[in-house]
Amino acid sequence: MKLQDTLSNSQLELDISKKVKIYLCGVTVYDESHIGHARTIIVFDVLRKYLEEKGVEIEFIQNFTDVDDKIINRAQAENTTAEVISTKYIQNYFEDFDGLNVKHATIYPKATDHIEDILKFIEKLIDKQIAYVSKNGVYFSVSKFPNYGKLSKKKIDELESGARIEIDEAKKDPLDFAVWKFSDVEPLWESPWGKGRPGWHIECSAMSNKYLGENFDIHGGGRDLIFPHHENEIAQSESCTGLQFAKIWMHVGMVTINGEKMSKSIGNIKSIKNVLENWGPNIIRLFCLSGHYSKPIDYSEELLKENLTKWRQAEVCYYELIHTKSEDNQNLEETVFKISKDFDKALEDDFNTHLALSAFFQLIKETNRLAAEEKLGNEDAQIIKSEFLRMLKILGLVIPEMTENEKQEIDYMIENREKLRKEKQFLEADKIRDKLNEMNIELIDHKVKTIWMKKEIIKSENKK
RNA sequence: GGUACUCUGGCAGAACGGUUAUGCGUGGGCCUGCAAAGCCUAUACAAGGGGGUUCGACUCCCUCGGGUACCUCCA
């Protein structure tokens, strides 16, 4: 699989001959997660699901930043502790992302659980005279890392001439950044240099090192993390170990809304809770995967609606596959095999989920067409079904389960409707269909049989 | 101001130095008791602007311009 690497600005081959180690920068837990977070995490969720489906072992680490000025500010505003805030929003995170059918990471390390590791890491940096103690904290000396700026393609002198860098007397160089901040307000920990808390970037260096070692396969996050977060992580980690940090840097584009970045400071946020309530997990996932991961994607009702149409087709396909009874096989192995290959090929080529989805929908269209023509045979359906389910699994799409009782009741109602239709009592027959509709069961009348499908309830569909 | 990315039809989004991309949408028709599902057909005079290279450019080169992000916390 080839992936675009931000550092080398070229496509690199991912080595899948052994365990693949991935570190994803997760969220700072001080508020609700929004669709922008969802996109990054869903992209990585599908990436790991695809690789796992290929039989590749994955170690997937995703951190929670649970010590940070924003958390502390929020705690003060709500008259509580940082721990209460971060615990609350970690719980909130899992509600949202479980709702989006995101598979759990191998480990979700938290900064506050790794203070010891962070302190050891800082100690190494001080020993190597790359970090220094000043009156406000311990700082990383950017000038000690010759390649500083290599990820974000920034030049040190250009950064220095930028007017937006804070001037801090305690720093030797304005670009130096804190690895440890002295403080006497909670949360704080003892350190050999003074009480305080870790800087923002150090946790990821320390925790990725702890769980994945000095060198691992993919380090990812949103594009907005390239600078300064990932740049600083590289500086810290590579100065500390003297080795290459991540092999591939994978960055996911922003979700925009009316062309503008979705962010808390602008206030144009669509929270996951809100969108999940209105559109459900499957449509959100399709939406997040509908563009290339590296490019921005614009949030719009129109795009969501398009994905709703497609999701309905997928649902029809599923129910056609499980209800089929025809003996009229078309020997579709080759067709299915080709579509399956297209799907994989798209993902292998810099993880092009849009093209992979095209293949997925091609399979669906083909199936639905044959089914409507009563030409979907049992054997073909088996072949299609296993491929369809494979794709569903990789994409993380889920068709709601039904109980046997429900199924029996539906079959019984359909039988009654058939009788009435044969007797041309259409008003009565339609009443049954209406009743089923109320249960979100939709009927598809084929020439020789009627099948049913259970539609996922999508609130937005009924609004105008 | 600097750096990176980006600019294809109403929207989404490909390939390719020369062929209709495709999907969604929209119009019309077929199927159906009626719907839904499905089918057929039509529709988009598509390539940010201007130069160049070429027999021929959306595709290569130059140039101008627009957009987004980052340069401060941010997925």
Side-chain angles (χ1 to χ4, degrees):
Chain A
M1 174 183 258
K2 282 185 298 180
L3 291 170
Q4 180 71 25
D5 168 45
T6 310
L7 180 57
S8 64
N9 203 3
S10 62
Q11 294 198 345
L12 300 181
E13 189 65 36
L14 176 70
D15 180 11
I16 56 165
S17 64
K18 49 186 191 311
K19 182 156 86 172
V20 171
K21 298 176 177 182
I22 303 174
Y23 187 94
L24 176 65
C25 283
V27 295
T28 301
V29 279
Y30 75 100
D31 207 346
E32 300 243 318
S33 299
H34 57 71
I35 291 298
H37 302 116
R39 158 128 108 144
T40 300
I41 284 156
I42 286 169
V43 164
F44 275 85
D45 185 52
V46 176
L47 175 67
R48 65 96 58 104
K49 280 174 175 160
Y50 174 71
L51 291 170
E52 281 175 343
E53 198 275 333
K54 290 272 155 203
V56 181
E57 199 190 335
I58 302 290
E59 187 159 6
F60 189 85
I61 308 294
Q62 183 185 324
N63 72 299
F64 283 120
T65 298
D66 65 341
V67 55
D68 165 273
D69 291 351
K70 288 197 166 169
I71 299 171
I72 294 166
N73 292 342
R74 181 100 187 205
Q76 278 167 358
E78 294 188 14
N79 222 340
T80 181
T81 64
E83 200 188 341
V84 168
I85 296 292
S86 60
T87 305
K88 174 179 167 186
Y89 287 106
I90 286 172
Q91 196 188 334
N92 188 79
Y93 172 92
F94 284 114
E95 282 167 19
D96 288 349
F97 285 88
D98 288 349
L100 288 170
N101 299 320
V102 170
K103 184 173 174 179
H104 280 209
T106 316
I107 303 171
Y108 288 99
K110 295 190 285 184
T112 56
D113 287 341
H114 294 79
I115 299 298
E116 278 302 309
D117 302 288
I118 290 169
L119 291 176
K120 267 186 234 158
F121 205 97
I122 296 172
E123 210 172 315
K124 272 190 205 162
L125 290 173
I126 293 177
D127 285 349
K128 294 193 173 197
Q129 302 197 321
I130 290 157
Y132 58 89
V133 183
S134 85
K135 69 173 186 197
N136 292 335
V138 182
Y139 287 89
F140 182 94
S141 181
V142 166
S143 60
K144 296 278 170 63
F145 186 66
N147 286 324
Y148 192 79
K150 68 176 177 178
L151 181 73
S152 55
K153 322 286 181 234
K154 291 188 187 303
K155 304 234 169 21
I156 288 183
D157 48 339
E158 280 166 1
L159 280 169
E160 281 179 342
S161 62
R164 295 164 88 175
I165 291 169
E166 59 178 302
I167 291 160
D168 186 337
E169 299 283 312
K171 292 187 194 176
K172 288 182 183 165
D173 185 307
L175 291 181
D176 293 349
F177 55 89
V179 291
W180 189 260
K181 293 177 175 177
F182 294 151
S183 162
D184 4 275
V185 289
E186 292 282 345
L188 82 173
W189 292 266
E190 294 288 349
S191 89
W193 318 283
K195 286 181 194 171
R197 60 177 184 267
W200 177 33
H201 321 292
I202 195 74
E203 51 170 300
C204 288
S205 286
M207 298 189 302
S208 63
N209 185 272
K210 175 171 183 174
Y211 293 106
L212 299 177
E214 290 159 342
N215 174 247
F216 52 92
D217 299 286
I218 301 174
H219 193 133
R223 276 208 108 74
D224 53 354
L225 293 183
I226 294 173
F227 191 90
H229 185 55
H230 287 162
E231 192 70 62
N232 292 353
E233 275 187 57
I234 292 181
Q236 290 163 350
S237 293
E238 295 192 353
S239 331
C240 188
T241 65
L243 298 167
Q244 182 196 30
F245 187 34
K247 288 176 193 150
I248 298 175
W249 287 88
M250 192 172 160
H251 289 106
V252 179
M254 297 295 101
V255 174
T256 58
I257 184 157
N258 297 321
E260 208 178 14
K261 179 183 171 185
M262 185 179 285
S263 82
K264 284 164 194 165
S265 43
I266 300 172
N268 56 352
I269 284 183
K270 293 281 172 188
S271 77
I272 293 174
K273 285 217 164 32
N274 177 269
V275 184
L276 205 45
E277 157 114 12
N278 287 305
W279 296 92
N282 296 306
I283 289 161
I284 296 176
R285 291 186 70 103
L286 288 172
F287 164 77
C288 288
L289 299 169
S290 67
H292 189 97
Y293 74 86
S294 65
K295 292 186 186 173
I297 190 169
D298 202 53
Y299 178 93
S300 70
E301 297 277 313
E302 192 184 358
L303 249 183
L304 254 3
K305 225 180 265 173
E306 181 174 332
N307 284 304
L308 168 63
T309 305
K310 291 181 171 180
W311 178 240
R312 291 296 185 216
Q313 293 172 347
E315 287 179 316
V316 170
C317 178
Y318 174 77
Y319 287 98
E320 295 283 13
L321 288 170
I322 62 169
H323 287 298
T324 183
K325 291 210 177 68
S326 163
E327 290 304 320
D328 192 358
N329 285 295
Q330 315 293 313
N331 299 315
L332 292 172
E333 290 105 318
E334 248 177 70
T335 312
V336 175
F337 182 68
K338 192 193 168 293
I339 293 173
S340 171
K341 247 173 63 184
D342 287 346
F343 182 88
D344 287 10
K345 220 170 82 189
L347 295 179
E348 297 280 335
D349 184 12
D350 197 19
F351 204 59
N352 192 329
T353 50
H354 182 272
L355 279 187
L357 286 176
S358 299
F360 175 61
F361 289 114
Q362 200 190 328
L363 183 73
I364 289 167
K365 272 189 108 59
E366 189 72 10
T367 306
N368 292 173
R369 199 195 86 233
L370 288 169
E373 292 170 358
E374 301 284 346
K375 285 182 188 163
L376 184 63
N378 277 326
E379 284 161 36
D380 285 335
Q382 278 312 108
I383 294 163
I384 295 170
K385 193 176 153 196
S386 84
E387 181 57 26
F388 177 80
L389 293 177
R390 181 185 84 99
M391 290 176 172
L392 269 193
K393 194 176 168 197
I394 291 169
L395 297 168
L397 304 172
V398 176
I399 296 197
E401 289 288 324
M402 294 188 69
T403 66
E404 282 307 312
N405 277 351
E406 284 177 291
K407 289 180 190 169
Q408 277 176 16
E409 190 184 344
I410 293 163
D411 285 339
Y412 176 73
M413 288 168 76
I414 290 177
E415 263 174 53
N416 281 342
R417 171 172 174 266
E418 280 314 296
K419 269 184 216 154
L420 292 166
R421 286 179 76 201
K422 280 194 184 122
E423 293 159 12
K424 300 211 188 299
Q425 299 196 41
F426 295 120
L427 280 178
E428 289 300 309
D430 286 352
K431 268 185 199 162
I432 294 175
R433 185 168 66 191
D434 291 344
K435 209 173 156 194
L436 282 163
N437 272 333
E438 279 166 31
M439 297 158 64
N440 277 295
I441 304 298
E442 189 162 306
L443 299 184
I444 301 172
D445 288 336
H446 290 162
K447 286 195 185 78
V448 300
K449 67 175 189 294
T450 294
I451 71 155
W452 55 265
M453 62 178 269
K454 170 130 180 154
K455 291 165 77 182
E456 183 182 345
I457 301 165
I458 307 292
K459 275 197 182 175
S460 296
E461 192 174 28
N462 305 322
K463 288 182 203 158
K464 186 177 100 148

